[in-house]
Amino acid sequence: MLPLLAAPVPASAATSRRQKPRAAAPAPVKTENSIIALPLNPVVPAGQRLCSTVAPSGLGSTMLRAGAGAKPGAGDVALVNYIGYLAATGAVFDQGMRSPLPVDGVIRGFAQGLQTMARSGVARFCIPAALGYGAQATGPIPANADLVFQVELLDFKTAAELESMKRAHAAEPAAQKDAPPQP
């Protein structure tokens, strides 16, 4: 192998190749010794705290990516990725990945918004305090706070589908007990 690497290149071949300009070396990163305050609270920019449409109920929304197919109902359980932040400041107060949420078990504005989405859709919901927690402060959410959520609907199951899954899961251990032992 070594002789091939050391073979001379013909002069005509050497001149026909263009040399790529060398990229400038990246600037060195300076060490930062300050302490990051905990909890880490990112802030969402003002432009991502606005919605393009408002429903008669007061719920604002912007469809960021349209989904396809059926939409969840009030009795369904939705599997979502979400981030929740305060409309006034953009301070993130909650986020979740692959979170199963009962549609009728979340705040009214979130439930209304979920029912407008189809699988694989991504939307932003601008939830007025009246459709959120109202005059009640909840953890990092102050009283009378308008909220914004970015939500991706990954999937959802109806109550009937969930009941069927529960029955199948409950029958599974019984079937395993009746099976002959494996060597």
Side-chain angles (χ1 to χ4, degrees):
M1 271 286 190
L2 213 44
L4 288 175
L5 293 175
V9 177
S12 61
T15 57
S16 67
R17 284 192 223 158
R18 289 191 175 161
Q19 292 184 354
K20 294 181 183 176
R22 291 186 180 201
V29 176
K30 190 173 184 174
T31 302
E32 174 64 50
N33 292 329
S34 62
I35 296 171
I36 298 171
L38 294 176
L40 183 60
N41 292 318
V43 174
V44 176
Q48 292 179 311
R49 294 184 241 156
L50 303 173
C51 289
S52 58
T53 62
V54 178
S57 68
L59 175 67
S61 65
T62 298
M63 190 58 59
L64 302 172
R65 181 178 70 215
K71 297 175 181 177
D76 298 343
V77 174
L79 185 66
V80 299
N81 292 335
Y82 72 92
I83 182 168
Y85 44 101
L86 301 175
T89 64
V92 173
F93 59 81
D94 193 16
Q95 56 188 311
M97 299 283 296
R98 300 189 57 76
S99 300
L101 300 175
V103 174
D104 59 2
V106 294
I107 58 174
R108 285 187 319 168
F110 199 97
Q112 286 178 15
L114 279 174
Q115 293 176 72
T116 67
M117 299 181 70
R119 284 181 180 94
S120 79
V122 179
R124 180 181 306 133
F125 303 134
C126 297
I127 302 174
L131 296 177
Y133 294 100
Q136 178 183 351
T138 303
I141 302 171
N144 299 311
D146 294 336
L147 310 175
V148 182
F149 285 90
Q150 178 178 295
V151 181
E152 178 180 17
L153 179 60
L154 302 171
D155 197 7
F156 67 91
K157 299 287 183 203
T158 65
E161 289 173 315
L162 290 173
E163 189 58 38
S164 175
M165 290 168 65
K166 286 180 186 176
R167 281 195 303 270
H169 190 296
E172 199 173 277
Q176 289 175 355
K177 289 177 189 174
D178 297 338
Q182 297 293 323

